[in-house]
Amino acid sequence: MAKQNTMPRLKALYNETIANNLKNELKLENIHQVPKLEKIVISSGVGKKREDKKFTETVELTLRKITGQEPTSRLAKKSIATFKIRKGMGAPVGYLVTLRNDKMYEFADRLINIALPHVRDFHGVPRGSFDKQGNYNLGLKEQTVFPEITFEDSSVLHGLEITFIIKNGSKEGSTKLLEAFGMPFEKEGK
């Protein structure tokens, strides 16, 4: 029996409706000018606990479970005496996963529709987290909002930084793209 290639829900939605709607809404001349999700980068720093083997293993395992990819360890780029960090030091200062194509859309769908509704006292994600290129940064205080994380994995809590890299993005265009995907932004005026 042949394996069926099914397109992720958000990718199909983007190709079928969102791209054309954004082109008209933003008054763009060409479909290739429409903002498009290029990649999602999920990272977590280990900070002062970089020597704690259990903590670093938990961070690495968490990223592996929620993304389905092997995280890469990041070494210090410069020496900082107050944190006792030397450039290129052996212990990693954080872990990083870059998602592209289908995995990126599947992760975005799970984040928006499953993980974010599980955040305690959630009133929406902040609107002011866009950079000049239209990329969006989202920080989570703990990894337990993802259903892939078991009770044993949640004994050591750590935060996550999620960055949506958007091609042809501007703050306005990127906001409209993420809203079309269902990103629950805070209500205006709060």
Side-chain angles (χ1 to χ4, degrees):
M1 193 164 144
K3 182 183 169 191
Q4 277 188 324
N5 287 339
T6 56
M7 187 181 296
R9 190 181 70 84
L10 286 183
K11 186 176 184 180
L13 186 66
Y14 178 83
N15 291 337
E16 293 165 11
T17 58
I18 294 174
N20 282 326
N21 291 347
L22 284 176
K23 179 181 176 258
N24 297 333
E25 197 174 336
L26 298 171
K27 296 175 179 68
L28 300 173
E29 294 176 24
N30 191 325
I31 194 74
H32 299 290
Q33 295 174 315
V34 174
K36 182 176 182 169
L37 197 54
E38 190 174 342
K39 61 184 173 180
I40 297 177
V41 179
I42 303 102
S43 61
S44 183
V46 293
K48 295 177 183 174
K49 297 183 180 181
R50 68 184 174 280
E51 299 298 329
D52 182 355
K53 192 163 179 66
K54 183 178 183 201
F55 184 79
T56 57
E57 284 175 353
T58 302
V59 171
E60 192 174 359
L61 177 72
T62 298
L63 287 174
R64 188 178 307 118
K65 278 189 170 184
I66 65 173
T67 61
Q69 283 186 201
E70 189 66 30
T72 59
S73 59
R74 311 310 280 171
L75 301 176
K77 290 184 178 178
K78 54 177 152 178
S79 300
I80 305 171
T82 54
F83 296 119
K84 297 179 183 164
I85 294 176
R86 300 283 170 257
K87 181 179 178 181
M89 195 168 146
V93 293
Y95 291 90
L96 172 91
V97 174
T98 302
L99 299 175
R100 298 174 196 273
N101 301 322
D102 289 355
K103 282 189 176 184
M104 166 186 70
Y105 285 104
E106 288 167 358
F107 177 82
D109 201 2
R110 278 193 333 240
L111 174 72
I112 293 167
N113 297 306
I114 298 171
L116 288 178
H118 283 102
V119 174
R120 220 177 286 140
D121 297 328
F122 185 67
H123 300 292
V125 296
R127 290 183 175 273
S129 297
F130 288 95
D131 63 13
K132 291 177 185 172
Q133 290 79 33
N135 301 322
Y136 185 72
N137 292 295
L138 173 65
L140 296 176
K141 291 183 180 171
E142 45 185 67
Q143 78 277 23
T144 57
V145 295
F146 288 95
E148 297 88 353
I149 304 301
T150 62
F151 179 73
E152 293 79 30
D153 299 333
S154 63
S155 61
V156 178
L157 296 176
H158 63 86
L160 297 169
E161 182 71 30
I162 302 167
T163 305
F164 292 81
I165 311 294
I166 299 171
K167 185 178 178 184
N168 300 329
S170 64
K171 187 174 179 184
E172 179 194 6
S174 297
T175 303
K176 291 192 183 304
L177 172 67
L178 292 177
E179 283 174 340
F181 282 150
M183 183 69 80
F185 285 106
E186 287 176 331
K187 300 286 183 247
E188 299 270 353
K190 280 195 174 190

